[in-house]
Amino acid sequence: MAALRAHFAGEGNASRNKADADRLKESLHYKNERSMSFEVFLTNCEKMYNIYDKEGEPWPEDREIRYLFKKVQHEKLQSAIDALRAQQMAGNAFTYAQAASHLSTEVSELPEYLAKYRSISGVSTA
């Protein structure tokens, strides 16, 4: 058991984990529900933050919030991001979880999100 712990806690595994996190940091973005759902985007962000934290390079919460705002590239969400930035500039502190929740609520009101989860039932032909 100790050999397994030593193997997976070794420098090679740490560098591989950091490479995965760096790849996510560079390639991850949210454009629309068709290419990637917002929930998957947030899950991948959390995965990246956890890898950095595990490897001794934790991100402060304000950096996580800035990353979230930068990587959400949906044009209809920019007004929500601008509103959150204005709150932040005014001194109203909020957490990453609150910002993600607010954006998730905004995504759930987008027409493309509603169309994705809408189904027609009870239609019959006579």
Side-chain angles (χ1 to χ4, degrees):
M1 191 67 153
L4 283 174
R5 284 193 186 128
H7 173 73
F8 287 108
E11 186 62 32
N13 197 41
S15 64
R16 187 172 38 246
N17 286 342
K18 286 182 185 176
D20 287 343
D22 289 341
R23 181 186 50 77
L24 280 173
K25 183 174 87 172
E26 296 302 320
S27 65
L28 193 60
H29 64 278
Y30 175 77
K31 282 191 176 182
N32 57 37
E33 285 292 308
R34 186 173 295 158
S35 62
M36 177 190 303
S37 73
F38 194 70
E39 291 83 16
V40 171
F41 168 74
L42 290 177
T43 301
N44 285 332
C45 286
E46 286 296 323
K47 178 181 176 183
M48 180 187 66
Y49 302 147
N50 289 337
I51 290 172
Y52 279 124
D53 189 39
K54 178 183 166 190
E55 300 305 331
E57 298 177 16
W59 283 22
E61 192 156 27
D62 62 329
R63 184 176 178 192
E64 291 177 358
I65 292 171
R66 285 193 314 270
Y67 181 81
L68 177 67
F69 291 168
K70 178 182 174 187
K71 292 298 186 169
V72 173
Q73 299 171 354
H74 195 291
E75 69 272 355
K76 293 185 180 177
L77 295 176
Q78 289 306 310
S79 61
I81 291 172
D82 291 340
L84 287 171
R85 281 190 179 133
Q87 284 184 5
Q88 202 173 30
M89 294 290 218
N92 296 337
F94 52 86
T95 64
Y96 171 82
Q98 290 171 327
S101 176
H102 180 74
L103 290 176
S104 183
T105 302
E106 293 294 322
V107 167
S108 70
E109 296 172 0
L110 292 173
E112 63 196 46
Y113 180 86
L114 295 173
K116 182 178 178 182
Y117 294 103
R118 183 179 297 155
S119 61
I120 299 174
S121 62
V123 175
S124 62
T125 59

